[in-house]
Structures are given as C-alpha cells and as structure tokens.
Amino acid sequence: MINKKKYIILVVILFCGLFIFSLFFKRDIKQESNKSDSSKLVSGGGEINNIEQKYCNFFPKRRRLDYKPELNEKGAIAVFFDERGQKKVLYQKNKEKKLPIASLTKLMTAVIAVENYDLQKTVKVSKKAVATLEETGKLRPGERITIGGLLDLALLVSSNDAAAALAEQMGEEKFVKLMNKKAEEIGMKNTKFANPHGLDNKNNYSTAEDLAFLTQYSLIYYPRIWETLSKKQKIIRSEDHLGSSIEHCANNTNKLLAKDYVLGGKTGYTDKAGDAMILAMEAPGIAEGKVALVLLGLGVAERIPRTENLYDWVMWGWDWGHF
C-alpha cells in the first residue's frame, strides 16, 4: 500500500508539474510573441525617433560647388540658425565691414518700440516728426494714431516720419541710447545707431553679421514685428487734429514675400548706403531653423534681384534634405 500511495503521490506531483510547466510555456510563447511584435513597433518607433533626431540635427550641406550667387554687394551674409542657437554661415562677404545701413535701422527701432511702449496707446504726431526727410508715411501734424500704427508704417513703407514719431514718445536721445544698449546686449559688436530712421549719418552703421544677429533675435523674441513684415499690405486708421478719420494704405516695400519659405524682410536705401536688404525665411526641407539674408551696399534698384539671386543660391546650392 505504501508503494501504491507513493506512486499516486508521484503521479499527482508529475501531473501538477506538467500543468504548471504548460502554463509557463504558454506564457513564454505569448511573451515572446508580444516581444516580437513590440520589437517591430520599437524598431519602427526607433526608426522614427532616429529620423526625428536626424531631422532635428540636420544642418545644410553644400550641394553644388559650381553654383555661385551673382551679387554686387559691399557686405553680405546668409546664415542658418536653429532654436538651440547653433549657426552655419552659408555665404559671407565682408561680413564684419562697417557700412551705412539706411532703413534697416528701423528693425532695431521696432525692437525698442515693442519693448518699451503700449502699442495700443494713441499719440499725437508732431510737426517735427512730419518734417523728417525722405521716405514718408504721409503723417500730418496733430494726427492721432496708435503707436502700433506708427510701428507698422515704419516697417512696411519705411516711414521716416513714423520712426521719428516713435522715438519722440520718450525723447529721441533716450530712444537712440536704448537702441545702442540693446545692440551691445545681443552682441552687435560693430554697430552704432545715431537716429531711429537710418538717414545718412557717419555714426549710424552696422555690419551684415550684426544685422543677422538682430534678425535672429527679433524673430525669436518679437513675433509682432515679423507679423507686420509678413504682410503685403495693411490699412492703418487714425484721426486728424479735427477728429476726422484717416486711412493709411501701407504697401510693403519688400517684393519677395511671395517666395516659398519667406517670412518677411526689411528694405533700405540712402545715397551713401545704396540699396540694402534683410530677408528672413524658414529653412526648407528637414532642417529645423531659419535663414537670415543680409545684403549691404548694393547698386541702385538692385536689392530685389540681388536678394532673389542669393535666395535661389541658398535654396538650390545647398542640400536641405528632402523638400
């Protein structure tokens, strides 16, 4: 009987062992199957992550060494920069040469205005501001207009009277002092401002490289400026000294807004500065970032065709990944 009992116990133990083994075996098969499936997902996800990482880290590479931009400038730069602050210079000529910059000055004027003023506030335009020479927003003495309206006129039609009116709100001397302080803060080491509009003055100058810094800085921190610079036209409403309504139809002086990836730009011209241009664009393809193009000291009426030529070279002379 003892042997029989032992035999029964042994059979029961063996049966239980087989049952437990079968459970673990099925679980292992299932886990292996899930692991295999999840391995495919992870592999796929890994590929995606790798691609995303590659996209995030993608910097443009020179594609056509035989393709060169046809320019006629005294100073220029085309530079790619990403959100991490990494940069790659795509083109440069005399990038640190100090040159008059005409109305490209107004990009810094806009920065100081946005930083220090309530853009919704209505102000009165002075006779002195209206008397400012050259480009005009057709402002009238005593006209009541918002500071935002003055900013838009200064940026879109390069209005010198609007730029002067902006500076007058705190006093031109103080305003220009803030322009120079900001230039120093953001690393514009070869720049000096003498006025808010860019009319010729030996103490109003910058470099292509410094203006690229300013473009990058304003794109990151002052979207309001580039929202205006992206528009082809804007109606700006105000009132004259009698309270009658006025409409300023501001047509953007930048004729390259229709180009792919272009975010906006600023034009400039004086007799001493010649034609000048800043153009900002989203990086094409898989590169994540923006490109600033700056051209200084161009011949008369050359800013659009020469900037377009540099734009084309940036687009097709460089590999941006698939786009």
Side-chain angles (χ1 to χ4, degrees), residues 135-181:
E135 295 294 340
T136 173
K138 298 181 179 178
L139 295 171
R140 307 174 190 179
E143 181 176 343
R144 298 186 63 80
I145 186 171
T146 64
I147 288 178
L150 291 174
L151 177 68
D152 291 338
L153 286 170
L155 291 172
L156 289 173
V157 297
S158 216
S159 165
N160 290 337
D161 44 1
L166 283 170
E168 277 187 352
Q169 301 312 307
M170 68 169 68
E172 184 171 310
E173 184 177 347
K174 182 178 179 181
F175 193 93
V176 173
K177 186 176 180 179
L178 288 178
M179 292 172 72
N180 285 309
K181 183 180 178 182

mmCIF file of all heavy atoms in Angstrom, residues 135-181:
data_model
loop_
_atom_site.group_PDB
_atom_site.id
_atom_site.type_symbol
_atom_site.label_atom_id
_atom_site.label_comp_id
_atom_site.label_asym_id
_atom_site.label_seq_id
_atom_site.Cartn_x
_atom_site.Cartn_y
_atom_site.Cartn_z
ATOM 1 N N GLU A 135 11.702 109.108 -47.037
ATOM 2 C CA GLU A 135 10.513 108.262 -47.032
ATOM 3 C C GLU A 135 9.501 108.735 -45.994
ATOM 4 O O GLU A 135 9.845 109.040 -44.857
ATOM 5 C CB GLU A 135 10.887 106.804 -46.740
ATOM 6 C CG GLU A 135 11.747 106.151 -47.808
ATOM 7 C CD GLU A 135 11.024 105.978 -49.129
ATOM 8 O OE1 GLU A 135 9.777 106.006 -49.134
ATOM 9 O OE2 GLU A 135 11.719 105.837 -50.146
ATOM 10 N N THR A 136 8.240 108.759 -46.415
ATOM 11 C CA THR A 136 7.205 109.289 -45.543
ATOM 12 C C THR A 136 5.991 108.387 -45.493
ATOM 13 O O THR A 136 5.641 107.732 -46.476
ATOM 14 C CB THR A 136 6.772 110.697 -46.003
ATOM 15 O OG1 THR A 136 5.649 111.123 -45.229
ATOM 16 C CG2 THR A 136 6.372 110.688 -47.469
ATOM 17 N N GLY A 137 5.363 108.368 -44.315
ATOM 18 C CA GLY A 137 4.099 107.657 -44.162
ATOM 19 C C GLY A 137 2.921 108.584 -44.371
ATOM 20 O O GLY A 137 1.781 108.224 -44.098
ATOM 21 N N LYS A 138 3.222 109.800 -44.852
ATOM 22 C CA LYS A 138 2.189 110.817 -45.114
ATOM 23 C C LYS A 138 1.410 111.168 -43.846
ATOM 24 O O LYS A 138 0.191 111.364 -43.871
ATOM 25 C CB LYS A 138 1.243 110.356 -46.225
ATOM 26 C CG LYS A 138 1.951 110.150 -47.555
ATOM 27 C CD LYS A 138 0.998 109.714 -48.643
ATOM 28 C CE LYS A 138 1.750 109.533 -49.964
ATOM 29 N NZ LYS A 138 0.866 109.067 -51.061
ATOM 30 N N LEU A 139 2.151 111.240 -42.751
ATOM 31 C CA LEU A 139 1.541 111.665 -41.497
ATOM 32 C C LEU A 139 1.297 113.175 -41.520
ATOM 33 O O LEU A 139 1.967 113.906 -42.253
ATOM 34 C CB LEU A 139 2.453 111.291 -40.324
ATOM 35 C CG LEU A 139 2.650 109.796 -40.085
ATOM 36 C CD1 LEU A 139 3.746 109.557 -39.044
ATOM 37 C CD2 LEU A 139 1.357 109.127 -39.653
ATOM 38 N N ARG A 140 0.378 113.614 -40.677
ATOM 39 C CA ARG A 140 0.026 115.033 -40.624
ATOM 40 C C ARG A 140 0.264 115.568 -39.218
ATOM 41 O O ARG A 140 0.060 114.849 -38.229
ATOM 42 C CB ARG A 140 -1.447 115.221 -40.988
ATOM 43 C CG ARG A 140 -1.838 114.577 -42.300
ATOM 44 C CD ARG A 140 -3.333 114.673 -42.534
ATOM 45 N NE ARG A 140 -3.758 113.854 -43.662
ATOM 46 C CZ ARG A 140 -5.026 113.745 -44.057
ATOM 47 N NH1 ARG A 140 -5.983 114.402 -43.417
ATOM 48 N NH2 ARG A 140 -5.334 112.974 -45.090
ATOM 49 N N PRO A 141 0.684 116.833 -39.108
ATOM 50 C CA PRO A 141 0.857 117.414 -37.777
ATOM 51 C C PRO A 141 -0.455 117.355 -36.989
ATOM 52 O O PRO A 141 -1.526 117.672 -37.523
ATOM 53 C CB PRO A 141 1.248 118.866 -38.076
ATOM 54 C CG PRO A 141 1.836 118.819 -39.445
ATOM 55 C CD PRO A 141 1.075 117.762 -40.174
ATOM 56 N N GLY A 142 -0.378 116.914 -35.736
ATOM 57 C CA GLY A 142 -1.570 116.832 -34.905
ATOM 58 C C GLY A 142 -2.367 115.549 -35.095
ATOM 59 O O GLY A 142 -3.351 115.317 -34.380
ATOM 60 N N GLU A 143 -1.966 114.730 -36.040
ATOM 61 C CA GLU A 143 -2.673 113.470 -36.278
ATOM 62 C C GLU A 143 -2.574 112.563 -35.053
ATOM 63 O O GLU A 143 -1.523 112.461 -34.434
ATOM 64 C CB GLU A 143 -2.062 112.766 -37.492
ATOM 65 C CG GLU A 143 -2.724 111.454 -37.861
ATOM 66 C CD GLU A 143 -2.145 110.846 -39.139
ATOM 67 O OE1 GLU A 143 -1.474 111.594 -39.910
ATOM 68 O OE2 GLU A 143 -2.354 109.644 -39.371
ATOM 69 N N ARG A 144 -3.691 111.916 -34.714
ATOM 70 C CA ARG A 144 -3.724 110.999 -33.574
ATOM 71 C C ARG A 144 -3.746 109.562 -34.104
ATOM 72 O O ARG A 144 -4.649 109.176 -34.840
ATOM 73 C CB ARG A 144 -4.943 111.274 -32.686
ATOM 74 C CG ARG A 144 -4.904 112.688 -32.077
ATOM 75 C CD ARG A 144 -6.031 112.916 -31.088
ATOM 76 N NE ARG A 144 -5.946 112.014 -29.939
ATOM 77 C CZ ARG A 144 -5.134 112.192 -28.906
ATOM 78 N NH1 ARG A 144 -4.300 113.244 -28.878
ATOM 79 N NH2 ARG A 144 -5.132 111.342 -27.898
ATOM 80 N N ILE A 145 -2.736 108.799 -33.715
ATOM 81 C CA ILE A 145 -2.538 107.455 -34.248
ATOM 82 C C ILE A 145 -1.966 106.563 -33.149
ATOM 83 O O ILE A 145 -1.278 107.063 -32.237
ATOM 84 C CB ILE A 145 -1.590 107.501 -35.474
ATOM 85 C CG1 ILE A 145 -1.468 106.131 -36.147
ATOM 86 C CG2 ILE A 145 -0.224 108.053 -35.099
ATOM 87 C CD1 ILE A 145 -0.712 106.176 -37.474
ATOM 88 N N THR A 146 -2.238 105.282 -33.213
ATOM 89 C CA THR A 146 -1.677 104.389 -32.193
ATOM 90 C C THR A 146 -0.177 104.188 -32.435
ATOM 91 O O THR A 146 0.310 104.329 -33.567
ATOM 92 C CB THR A 146 -2.357 103.006 -32.209
ATOM 93 O OG1 THR A 146 -2.079 102.364 -33.460
ATOM 94 C CG2 THR A 146 -3.855 103.122 -31.986
ATOM 95 N N ILE A 147 0.507 103.841 -31.379
ATOM 96 C CA ILE A 147 1.935 103.541 -31.514
ATOM 97 C C ILE A 147 2.123 102.318 -32.420
ATOM 98 O O ILE A 147 3.064 102.260 -33.216
ATOM 99 C CB ILE A 147 2.567 103.309 -30.130
ATOM 100 C CG1 ILE A 147 2.664 104.649 -29.388
ATOM 101 C CG2 ILE A 147 3.948 102.668 -30.238
ATOM 102 C CD1 ILE A 147 3.225 104.575 -27.995
ATOM 103 N N GLY A 148 1.192 101.369 -32.337
ATOM 104 C CA GLY A 148 1.231 100.215 -33.237
ATOM 105 C C GLY A 148 1.097 100.629 -34.688
ATOM 106 O O GLY A 148 1.737 100.044 -35.576
ATOM 107 N N GLY A 149 0.279 101.649 -34.949
ATOM 108 C CA GLY A 149 0.136 102.171 -36.309
ATOM 109 C C GLY A 149 1.424 102.796 -36.813
ATOM 110 O O GLY A 149 1.818 102.610 -37.969
ATOM 111 N N LEU A 150 2.100 103.541 -35.940
ATOM 112 C CA LEU A 150 3.390 104.127 -36.308
ATOM 113 C C LEU A 150 4.417 103.034 -36.595
ATOM 114 O O LEU A 150 5.198 103.126 -37.546
ATOM 115 C CB LEU A 150 3.906 105.022 -35.177
ATOM 116 C CG LEU A 150 3.141 106.321 -34.905
ATOM 117 C CD1 LEU A 150 3.699 107.007 -33.657
ATOM 118 C CD2 LEU A 150 3.215 107.268 -36.112
ATOM 119 N N LEU A 151 4.403 101.988 -35.763
ATOM 120 C CA LEU A 151 5.325 100.863 -35.956
ATOM 121 C C LEU A 151 5.097 100.214 -37.317
ATOM 122 O O LEU A 151 6.046 99.937 -38.062
ATOM 123 C CB LEU A 151 5.117 99.840 -34.840
ATOM 124 C CG LEU A 151 5.950 98.566 -34.918
ATOM 125 C CD1 LEU A 151 7.426 98.875 -34.694
ATOM 126 C CD2 LEU A 151 5.464 97.549 -33.896
ATOM 127 N N ASP A 152 3.831 100.001 -37.669
ATOM 128 C CA ASP A 152 3.512 99.364 -38.947
ATOM 129 C C ASP A 152 3.959 100.226 -40.128
ATOM 130 O O ASP A 152 4.493 99.716 -41.119
ATOM 131 C CB ASP A 152 2.012 99.084 -39.039
ATOM 132 C CG ASP A 152 1.570 98.005 -38.071
ATOM 133 O OD1 ASP A 152 2.418 97.200 -37.652
ATOM 134 O OD2 ASP A 152 0.370 97.969 -37.724
ATOM 135 N N LEU A 153 3.768 101.529 -40.036
ATOM 136 C CA LEU A 153 4.205 102.421 -41.113
ATOM 137 C C LEU A 153 5.727 102.424 -41.244
ATOM 138 O O LEU A 153 6.272 102.420 -42.351
ATOM 139 C CB LEU A 153 3.699 103.843 -40.859
ATOM 140 C CG LEU A 153 2.211 104.097 -41.102
ATOM 141 C CD1 LEU A 153 1.807 105.472 -40.581
ATOM 142 C CD2 LEU A 153 1.879 103.984 -42.591
ATOM 143 N N ALA A 154 6.413 102.415 -40.111
ATOM 144 C CA ALA A 154 7.883 102.418 -40.138
ATOM 145 C C ALA A 154 8.418 101.142 -40.783
ATOM 146 O O ALA A 154 9.406 101.181 -41.528
ATOM 147 C CB ALA A 154 8.435 102.574 -38.721
ATOM 148 N N LEU A 155 7.762 100.029 -40.530
ATOM 149 C CA LEU A 155 8.241 98.756 -41.053
ATOM 150 C C LEU A 155 7.811 98.500 -42.496
ATOM 151 O O LEU A 155 8.607 98.041 -43.319
ATOM 152 C CB LEU A 155 7.744 97.609 -40.163
ATOM 153 C CG LEU A 155 8.355 97.531 -38.766
ATOM 154 C CD1 LEU A 155 7.644 96.480 -37.922
ATOM 155 C CD2 LEU A 155 9.852 97.233 -38.835
ATOM 156 N N LEU A 156 6.555 98.792 -42.814
ATOM 157 C CA LEU A 156 6.024 98.425 -44.126
ATOM 158 C C LEU A 156 6.429 99.389 -45.237
ATOM 159 O O LEU A 156 6.830 98.967 -46.324
ATOM 160 C CB LEU A 156 4.490 98.320 -44.067
ATOM 161 C CG LEU A 156 3.944 97.130 -43.289
ATOM 162 C CD1 LEU A 156 2.424 97.228 -43.158
ATOM 163 C CD2 LEU A 156 4.321 95.827 -43.985
ATOM 164 N N VAL A 157 6.293 100.692 -44.984
ATOM 165 C CA VAL A 157 6.630 101.664 -46.036
ATOM 166 C C VAL A 157 7.915 102.418 -45.703
ATOM 167 O O VAL A 157 8.257 103.407 -46.342
ATOM 168 C CB VAL A 157 5.468 102.661 -46.291
ATOM 169 C CG1 VAL A 157 4.247 101.922 -46.793
ATOM 170 C CG2 VAL A 157 5.129 103.472 -45.045
ATOM 171 N N SER A 158 8.612 101.941 -44.658
ATOM 172 C CA SER A 158 9.880 102.534 -44.246
ATOM 173 C C SER A 158 9.739 104.021 -43.938
ATOM 174 O O SER A 158 10.596 104.836 -44.283
ATOM 175 C CB SER A 158 10.944 102.321 -45.331
ATOM 176 O OG SER A 158 12.196 102.091 -44.765
ATOM 177 N N SER A 159 8.643 104.345 -43.271
ATOM 178 C CA SER A 159 8.306 105.739 -42.987
ATOM 179 C C SER A 159 9.270 106.369 -41.981
ATOM 180 O O SER A 159 9.332 105.980 -40.821
ATOM 181 C CB SER A 159 6.870 105.794 -42.444
ATOM 182 O OG SER A 159 6.605 107.024 -41.836
ATOM 183 N N ASN A 160 10.008 107.368 -42.444
ATOM 184 C CA ASN A 160 10.933 108.080 -41.550
ATOM 185 C C ASN A 160 10.186 108.942 -40.542
ATOM 186 O O ASN A 160 10.630 109.098 -39.401
ATOM 187 C CB ASN A 160 11.887 108.958 -42.367
ATOM 188 C CG ASN A 160 12.884 108.139 -43.155
ATOM 189 O OD1 ASN A 160 13.172 106.993 -42.816
ATOM 190 N ND2 ASN A 160 13.415 108.703 -44.229
ATOM 191 N N ASP A 161 9.050 109.524 -40.984
ATOM 192 C CA ASP A 161 8.283 110.353 -40.052
ATOM 193 C C ASP A 161 7.678 109.494 -38.940
ATOM 194 O O ASP A 161 7.636 109.900 -37.781
ATOM 195 C CB ASP A 161 7.208 111.179 -40.768
ATOM 196 C CG ASP A 161 6.419 110.396 -41.806
ATOM 197 O OD1 ASP A 161 6.677 109.191 -41.986
ATOM 198 O OD2 ASP A 161 5.522 110.994 -42.456
ATOM 199 N N ALA A 162 7.266 108.268 -39.261
ATOM 200 C CA ALA A 162 6.726 107.371 -38.234
ATOM 201 C C ALA A 162 7.822 106.944 -37.264
ATOM 202 O O ALA A 162 7.598 106.870 -36.046
ATOM 203 C CB ALA A 162 6.091 106.151 -38.887
ATOM 204 N N ALA A 163 9.013 106.664 -37.783
ATOM 205 C CA ALA A 163 10.133 106.281 -36.916
ATOM 206 C C ALA A 163 10.497 107.429 -35.978
ATOM 207 O O ALA A 163 10.761 107.218 -34.786
ATOM 208 C CB ALA A 163 11.339 105.880 -37.758
ATOM 209 N N ALA A 164 10.506 108.642 -36.515
ATOM 210 C CA ALA A 164 10.803 109.814 -35.687
ATOM 211 C C ALA A 164 9.733 110.006 -34.625
ATOM 212 O O ALA A 164 10.037 110.324 -33.460
ATOM 213 C CB ALA A 164 10.903 111.057 -36.567
ATOM 214 N N ALA A 165 8.473 109.794 -34.983
ATOM 215 C CA ALA A 165 7.367 109.938 -34.032
ATOM 216 C C ALA A 165 7.461 108.889 -32.925
ATOM 217 O O ALA A 165 7.152 109.175 -31.761
ATOM 218 C CB ALA A 165 6.033 109.821 -34.762
ATOM 219 N N LEU A 166 7.905 107.691 -33.275
ATOM 220 C CA LEU A 166 8.094 106.649 -32.261
ATOM 221 C C LEU A 166 9.152 107.072 -31.245
ATOM 222 O O LEU A 166 8.960 106.948 -30.030
ATOM 223 C CB LEU A 166 8.514 105.335 -32.920
ATOM 224 C CG LEU A 166 7.430 104.527 -33.623
ATOM 225 C CD1 LEU A 166 8.050 103.389 -34.426
ATOM 226 C CD2 LEU A 166 6.427 103.966 -32.616
ATOM 227 N N ALA A 167 10.261 107.570 -31.734
ATOM 228 C CA ALA A 167 11.353 107.970 -30.840
ATOM 229 C C ALA A 167 10.959 109.150 -29.969
ATOM 230 O O ALA A 167 11.379 109.252 -28.803
ATOM 231 C CB ALA A 167 12.594 108.308 -31.662
ATOM 232 N N GLU A 168 10.144 110.043 -30.494
ATOM 233 C CA GLU A 168 9.742 111.245 -29.753
ATOM 234 C C GLU A 168 8.942 110.924 -28.495
ATOM 235 O O GLU A 168 8.892 111.741 -27.570
ATOM 236 C CB GLU A 168 8.896 112.158 -30.646
ATOM 237 C CG GLU A 168 9.710 113.053 -31.544
ATOM 238 C CD GLU A 168 8.832 114.049 -32.287
ATOM 239 O OE1 GLU A 168 7.591 113.946 -32.209
ATOM 240 O OE2 GLU A 168 9.407 114.939 -32.941
ATOM 241 N N GLN A 169 8.335 109.753 -28.450
ATOM 242 C CA GLN A 169 7.476 109.424 -27.307
ATOM 243 C C GLN A 169 8.262 109.367 -25.997
ATOM 244 O O GLN A 169 7.704 109.585 -24.926
ATOM 245 C CB GLN A 169 6.730 108.103 -27.555
ATOM 246 C CG GLN A 169 5.851 108.097 -28.780
ATOM 247 C CD GLN A 169 4.962 109.326 -28.864
ATOM 248 O OE1 GLN A 169 4.240 109.664 -27.928
ATOM 249 N NE2 GLN A 169 5.022 110.010 -30.002
ATOM 250 N N MET A 170 9.546 109.087 -26.066
ATOM 251 C CA MET A 170 10.369 109.128 -24.855
ATOM 252 C C MET A 170 11.523 110.123 -24.998
ATOM 253 O O MET A 170 12.317 110.305 -24.077
ATOM 254 C CB MET A 170 10.937 107.742 -24.538
ATOM 255 C CG MET A 170 11.962 107.225 -25.515
ATOM 256 S SD MET A 170 12.829 105.729 -24.913
ATOM 257 C CE MET A 170 11.541 104.511 -24.940
ATOM 258 N N GLY A 171 11.617 110.726 -26.172
ATOM 259 C CA GLY A 171 12.735 111.620 -26.476
ATOM 260 C C GLY A 171 13.741 110.878 -27.331
ATOM 261 O O GLY A 171 14.160 109.763 -26.965
ATOM 262 N N GLU A 172 14.115 111.469 -28.467
ATOM 263 C CA GLU A 172 14.973 110.761 -29.415
ATOM 264 C C GLU A 172 16.315 110.358 -28.802
ATOM 265 O O GLU A 172 16.815 109.255 -29.059
ATOM 266 C CB GLU A 172 15.206 111.616 -30.670
ATOM 267 C CG GLU A 172 16.020 110.882 -31.726
ATOM 268 C CD GLU A 172 16.067 111.621 -33.051
ATOM 269 O OE1 GLU A 172 14.997 112.033 -33.557
ATOM 270 O OE2 GLU A 172 17.189 111.786 -33.580
ATOM 271 N N GLU A 173 16.891 111.227 -27.998
ATOM 272 C CA GLU A 173 18.202 110.917 -27.413
ATOM 273 C C GLU A 173 18.137 109.663 -26.543
ATOM 274 O O GLU A 173 18.989 108.762 -26.646
ATOM 275 C CB GLU A 173 18.693 112.105 -26.578
ATOM 276 C CG GLU A 173 20.093 111.904 -26.009
ATOM 277 C CD GLU A 173 20.607 113.114 -25.229
ATOM 278 O OE1 GLU A 173 19.984 114.195 -25.336
ATOM 279 O OE2 GLU A 173 21.616 112.966 -24.517
ATOM 280 N N LYS A 174 17.111 109.572 -25.709
ATOM 281 C CA LYS A 174 16.948 108.399 -24.847
ATOM 282 C C LYS A 174 16.653 107.150 -25.682
ATOM 283 O O LYS A 174 17.172 106.060 -25.400
ATOM 284 C CB LYS A 174 15.816 108.646 -23.850
ATOM 285 C CG LYS A 174 15.614 107.493 -22.875
ATOM 286 C CD LYS A 174 14.499 107.804 -21.877
ATOM 287 C CE LYS A 174 14.275 106.633 -20.917
ATOM 288 N NZ LYS A 174 13.175 106.925 -19.948
ATOM 289 N N PHE A 175 15.827 107.332 -26.708
ATOM 290 C CA PHE A 175 15.448 106.210 -27.569
ATOM 291 C C PHE A 175 16.679 105.621 -28.266
ATOM 292 O O PHE A 175 16.887 104.407 -28.279
ATOM 293 C CB PHE A 175 14.428 106.690 -28.607
ATOM 294 C CG PHE A 175 13.744 105.582 -29.349
ATOM 295 C CD1 PHE A 175 12.535 105.070 -28.918
ATOM 296 C CD2 PHE A 175 14.292 105.061 -30.513
ATOM 297 C CE1 PHE A 175 11.881 104.042 -29.610
ATOM 298 C CE2 PHE A 175 13.669 104.042 -31.216
ATOM 299 C CZ PHE A 175 12.453 103.527 -30.757
ATOM 300 N N VAL A 176 17.496 106.491 -28.834
ATOM 301 C CA VAL A 176 18.701 106.031 -29.536
ATOM 302 C C VAL A 176 19.681 105.385 -28.552
ATOM 303 O O VAL A 176 20.360 104.400 -28.887
ATOM 304 C CB VAL A 176 19.364 107.200 -30.306
ATOM 305 C CG1 VAL A 176 20.711 106.777 -30.891
ATOM 306 C CG2 VAL A 176 18.441 107.700 -31.413
ATOM 307 N N LYS A 177 19.729 105.918 -27.344
ATOM 308 C CA LYS A 177 20.597 105.314 -26.314
ATOM 309 C C LYS A 177 20.163 103.869 -26.044
ATOM 310 O O LYS A 177 21.002 102.971 -25.908
ATOM 311 C CB LYS A 177 20.526 106.143 -25.037
ATOM 312 C CG LYS A 177 21.493 105.685 -23.956
ATOM 313 C CD LYS A 177 21.437 106.626 -22.738
ATOM 314 C CE LYS A 177 22.412 106.154 -21.654
ATOM 315 N NZ LYS A 177 22.396 107.062 -20.476
ATOM 316 N N LEU A 178 18.853 103.635 -26.005
ATOM 317 C CA LEU A 178 18.344 102.275 -25.796
ATOM 318 C C LEU A 178 18.648 101.385 -26.998
ATOM 319 O O LEU A 178 18.906 100.185 -26.830
ATOM 320 C CB LEU A 178 16.835 102.320 -25.545
ATOM 321 C CG LEU A 178 16.380 102.869 -24.190
ATOM 322 C CD1 LEU A 178 14.855 102.893 -24.105
ATOM 323 C CD2 LEU A 178 16.945 102.040 -23.040
ATOM 324 N N MET A 179 18.627 101.954 -28.191
ATOM 325 C CA MET A 179 18.981 101.188 -29.389
ATOM 326 C C MET A 179 20.419 100.679 -29.298
ATOM 327 O O MET A 179 20.708 99.507 -29.571
ATOM 328 C CB MET A 179 18.815 102.053 -30.647
ATOM 329 C CG MET A 179 17.375 102.410 -30.981
ATOM 330 S SD MET A 179 17.250 103.633 -32.329
ATOM 331 C CE MET A 179 17.728 102.645 -33.748
ATOM 332 N N ASN A 180 21.317 101.543 -28.884
ATOM 333 C CA ASN A 180 22.724 101.153 -28.754
ATOM 334 C C ASN A 180 22.951 100.180 -27.604
ATOM 335 O O ASN A 180 23.778 99.266 -27.702
ATOM 336 C CB ASN A 180 23.589 102.406 -28.581
ATOM 337 C CG ASN A 180 23.762 103.167 -29.878
ATOM 338 O OD1 ASN A 180 24.124 102.601 -30.898
ATOM 339 N ND2 ASN A 180 23.476 104.467 -29.848
ATOM 340 N N LYS A 181 22.196 100.356 -26.525
ATOM 341 C CA LYS A 181 22.308 99.440 -25.395
ATOM 342 C C LYS A 181 21.862 98.036 -25.804
ATOM 343 O O LYS A 181 22.509 97.036 -25.466
ATOM 344 C CB LYS A 181 21.458 99.947 -24.233
ATOM 345 C CG LYS A 181 21.561 99.080 -22.977
ATOM 346 C CD LYS A 181 20.698 99.641 -21.848
ATOM 347 C CE LYS A 181 20.776 98.735 -20.625
ATOM 348 N NZ LYS A 181 19.903 99.232 -19.523
#
